[in-house]
Amino acid sequence: MPNSVKKEYKEAPGRTVPLARVRNIGIMAHIDAGKTTVSERILYYTGKNYKMGEVHEGTATMDWMIQEQERGITITSAATTCTWKDHKINLIDTPGHVDFTAEVERSLRVLDGAVAVFCAVGGVQPQSETVWRQSKKYNVPIIAFVNKMDRTGADFYKVVEDIHDKLGATAVPLQIPIGKESSFEGVVDVLEKKALYFIEEELGAEIHVKEIPAELKEQTEKAYKYIVECLAEVDDHIMGMFLEDKKPDVKTIKQAIRRRVLAGDIVPVVCGSAFKYKAVQPVLDSVVEYLPSPIDVWEIKGTDPATELPMSRHVGDTEPFSALAFKIMNDPHVGKLTFFRVYSGCLEKGTTIFNPRTKRRERIGRILQMHANRRDDLDQVFSGDIAAAVGLRNATTGDTLCCEDKQIILESMKFPEPVISMAVEPKTSGDRDKLYTALGALSDEDPTFRIKTDEDTGQTIISGMGELHLDIIRDRLLREYKVEANTGKPEVAYRETICKASESNTKFVRQSGGRGQYGHVIISMEPRPRGYGVIIENKVVGGRIPKEFIKPIEKGLIEASTTGALAGYPVVDLHIQILDGSYHPVDSSELAFKIAASMAFKDASKKAGMIILEPIMKVEITTPDENMGDVIGDTSSRRGQIIEVETKGNTTKILAHSPLSELFGYATAIRSLSKGRASYSMEPSHFEKVPVELQKQIVEKEKIK
């Protein structure tokens, strides 16, 4: 931690582990890189579990949901706590599948550091890039673990190169693999200059320390020099020693690595094979040595609820209590669980806390230490802890929990908009109430799962991040909530935007005896690039519209933008200016200006020429060479655009952009094309204008509805 921010903090008498020895970390990666297996090994080696769970057998502790066990994937982030070398590690295992990206987003928001797991064969994959961007957004320092070193085609140095080239990070290998593919035995610790071997039959529990093999000594020296050179470029202390031709000792180098990791300048890279029990303990050593404690994060930024001005807190058990609720889970045994990270102060069970968003007090009934879906009761939690509370009825993801007399609103998180929707209805009228209760509970848990009622048809529409996301929701309705529901075909969540600039001069006037309604606004709107959203700028001068009516105008414009004039989809990527207007001293009201603004929006958007945008997915397909032609042909037939084709050995990796509407049922199609040998992953990339013919079909379809 830089000296400029080093301040005094106090610890409560009941604390068992000093704050400096606490680590809040997450395991993040692309799907199938081995995150959950790494987590299982960590729990075993730290003594938290006495038996190793396996993802492929459906026995992984962190994949506790039945849907996770059946599919062999992580769906919900699971939290647990373990101990390594007198350090307390709060660990969150996050999903790799892009449909559950919100789980990664909210976990990274409350974590201090992360271990990014990369497949030694696949390298940096699309979802690796997504989670990397998310971690950078929250300034989370990272250690990279190159997993699956025992696999055919494993290439440690290619992955290091990938991290450098594709992620723009200064990747610094701290280890060298001993052997490769099926002959992978262990790693060379470059700094300590020793070889570490892990015996599979011993489940890797014993580390056999030996001399570095002769053939790797020169390589180890090169790697050592590279570490010092990388540090000299970013660390003044090492640079000074480098210029004076002094050789830093191992302790000095490790301290410099820690400083630069916390600053986000370098990413230490280690390697191993979690499945084969090799080199997982050095990952824990790296977590303890290089990732931050809550003290290193120190200043927690937020805003004052009363003035909306920036304010901050710092860590310490004697500071005013503040925490962030980052996850809601409905537990069949204890009810609604609110996961929270304590940033400052302490919290005892039975205490009353305050929620600045709802402006309500809430009593903490119980505090639980979670171990995946198992739980232990706690009497108290301290600064830097992650726990779950029972009894918070009104808290939701992103809420701040604090003292009523020392309020603060901590920075929350933003979640992506859903890209796919479908209609859902109960099979029997008796299931109706149960269905809405279940959907409400699932919506509380998942910020990317939305429910709305179609005003025209009366149908309940559920929206999510992909086919798998909605499939899991449907499965959970039946298994957890015992609700049988009929669902329609999935539908794409299109957007609308404008083609050219336009203006509207709109008056809303109503006279019905007595006080009337009068609102008059002049607005302009201009198209903006994809991803811009909707930005409103107030250009009214001279009090032509009183200040108290500006907010209702903005609200009217935002509400109107949720329903486009073309096919009823949300309107995006435009800049609106409130130019002018007029008011009546008696008849003007907030409602009148809100209605006038809504009318002006619809008028201006029609003049601007509307078009429909569709979500484009970034698809990465890995296929055997002999199926490459068929896969590329199929991608092109789905209006796909091939971006990159990379052949490695007898496997080809194809990167393409394809409209989501063409990718329904793609899992079955790709299986059929390659006899089950190809795999793929996809994530939302951007929105593009739909072809003219398709736009006509979409508009006609909406009219029929």
Side-chain angles (χ1 to χ4, degrees), residues 443-467:
S443 174
D444 285 346
E445 286 187 14
D446 186 349
T448 58
F449 173 59
R450 309 279 171 83
I451 313 156
K452 70 171 185 178
T453 303
D454 189 302
E455 290 178 8
D456 298 325
T457 63
Q459 282 184 308
T460 300
I461 308 294
I462 59 174
S463 305
M465 298 306 296
E467 276 187 284

Side-chain angles (χ1 to χ4, degrees), residues 59 155 163 176 190 198 230 234 294 311 322 362-363 395 606 636:
T59 56
D155 189 337
I163 294 170
I176 291 172
V190 175
F198 302 83
C230 286
V234 291
M311 67 183 298
S322 66
E362 293 208 59
R363 187 175 176 275
K606 281 177 185 173
S636 300

Side-chain angles (χ1 to χ4, degrees), residues 15 19 124 192 444 459 472 555 622:
R15 176 183 281 280
L19 202 50
V124 174
E192 299 287 354
D444 285 346
Q459 282 184 308
I472 297 290
K555 198 171 179 185
T622 304

Side-chain angles (χ1 to χ4, degrees), residues 227-534:
I227 293 170
V228 176
E229 284 168 12
C230 286
L231 288 171
E233 286 180 17
V234 291
D235 192 271
D236 292 342
H237 183 58
I238 299 294
M239 171 59 89
M241 296 182 78
F242 195 71
L243 292 173
E244 292 170 19
D245 214 18
K246 288 181 182 173
K247 194 174 180 182
D249 60 19
V250 174
K251 186 181 177 184
T252 303
I253 291 174
K254 285 186 175 182
Q255 287 170 344
I257 290 172
R258 180 176 170 77
R259 282 196 299 272
R260 293 351 295 173
V261 169
L262 299 191
D265 294 329
I266 65 169
V267 175
V269 188
V270 293
C271 64
S273 169
F275 183 59
K276 297 287 187 181
Y277 320 106
K278 291 184 170 80
V280 176
Q281 296 95 320
V283 177
L284 284 164
D285 290 338
S286 298
V287 164
V288 164
E289 286 174 336
Y290 306 128
L291 288 182
S293 73
I295 302 167
D296 298 307
V297 180
W298 192 251
E299 189 181 35
I300 305 105
K301 292 180 180 175
T303 53
D304 185 328
T307 63
E308 296 187 3
L309 292 172
M311 67 183 298
S312 63
R313 292 265 160 88
H314 66 79
V315 297
D317 296 337
T318 56
E319 295 299 305
F321 173 72
S322 66
L324 187 74
F326 67 95
K327 179 179 167 74
I328 305 296
M329 189 175 99
N330 289 291
D331 187 294
H333 304 289
V334 297
K336 183 178 173 182
L337 282 175
T338 304
F339 286 73
F340 63 95
R341 155 78 192 264
V342 182
Y343 282 97
S344 61
C346 296
L347 181 69
E348 292 182 21
K349 68 177 181 182
T351 308
T352 299
I353 54 95
F354 187 73
N355 184 334
R357 179 185 63 84
T358 60
K359 294 183 171 51
R360 286 185 179 181
R361 298 186 197 94
E362 293 208 59
R363 187 175 176 275
I364 305 283
R366 291 167 68 191
I367 301 174
L368 303 174
Q369 181 75 72
M370 299 302 292
H371 178 49
N373 64 330
R374 303 204 303 272
R375 61 199 83 76
D376 296 319
D377 276 277
L378 297 173
D379 292 326
Q380 188 177 18
V381 284
F382 304 92
S383 180
D385 283 351
I386 291 175
V390 180
L392 300 181
R393 291 186 180 181
N394 301 303
T396 188
T397 300
D399 277 0
T400 298
L401 312 173
C402 62
C403 310
E404 191 173 3
D405 57 340
K406 298 272 186 180
Q407 293 180 30
I408 187 173
I409 296 179
L410 301 175
E411 182 190 348
S412 190
M413 30 204 136
K414 289 182 181 173
F415 298 104
E417 289 296 313
V419 295
I420 186 171
S421 305
M422 69 181 180
V424 60
E425 58 183 31
K427 275 193 175 174
T428 66
S429 56
D431 276 342
R432 186 172 298 279
D433 289 344
K434 280 168 68 180
L435 173 66
Y436 294 133
T437 302
L439 288 175
L442 290 169
S443 174
D444 285 346
E445 286 187 14
D446 186 349
T448 58
F449 173 59
R450 309 279 171 83
I451 313 156
K452 70 171 185 178
T453 303
D454 189 302
E455 290 178 8
D456 298 325
T457 63
Q459 282 184 308
T460 300
I461 308 294
I462 59 174
S463 305
M465 298 306 296
E467 276 187 284
L468 178 63
H469 190 189
L470 294 187
D471 190 38
I472 297 290
I473 294 288
R474 194 166 41 191
D475 196 34
R476 290 185 67 190
L477 282 173
L478 181 61
R479 295 203 198 190
E480 289 177 37
Y481 296 94
K482 308 293 186 284
V483 178
E484 292 200 37
N486 295 319
T487 51
K489 280 186 178 178
E491 292 188 6
V492 176
Y494 293 104
R495 301 284 186 268
E496 295 182 26
T497 194
I498 59 173
C499 296
K500 59 187 181 188
S502 68
E503 279 196 17
S504 176
N505 185 336
T506 304
K507 280 184 183 177
F508 173 68
V509 184
R510 283 279 156 85
Q511 206 67 45
S512 53
R515 185 177 172 179
Q517 295 281 6
Y518 181 93
H520 173 211
V521 292
I522 301 172
I523 65 164
S524 70
M525 59 172 64
E526 295 174 357
R528 286 290 189 268
R530 300 290 79 87
Y532 186 81
V534 178

Side-chain angles (χ1 to χ4, degrees), residues 609-630:
M610 304 288 288
I611 56 169
I612 293 178
L613 304 172
E614 63 181 341
I616 304 295
M617 307 299 282
K618 182 180 178 183
V619 188
E620 186 182 271
I621 308 144
T622 304
T623 177
D625 281 352
E626 61 261 35
N627 304 117
M628 181 181 73
D630 293 337

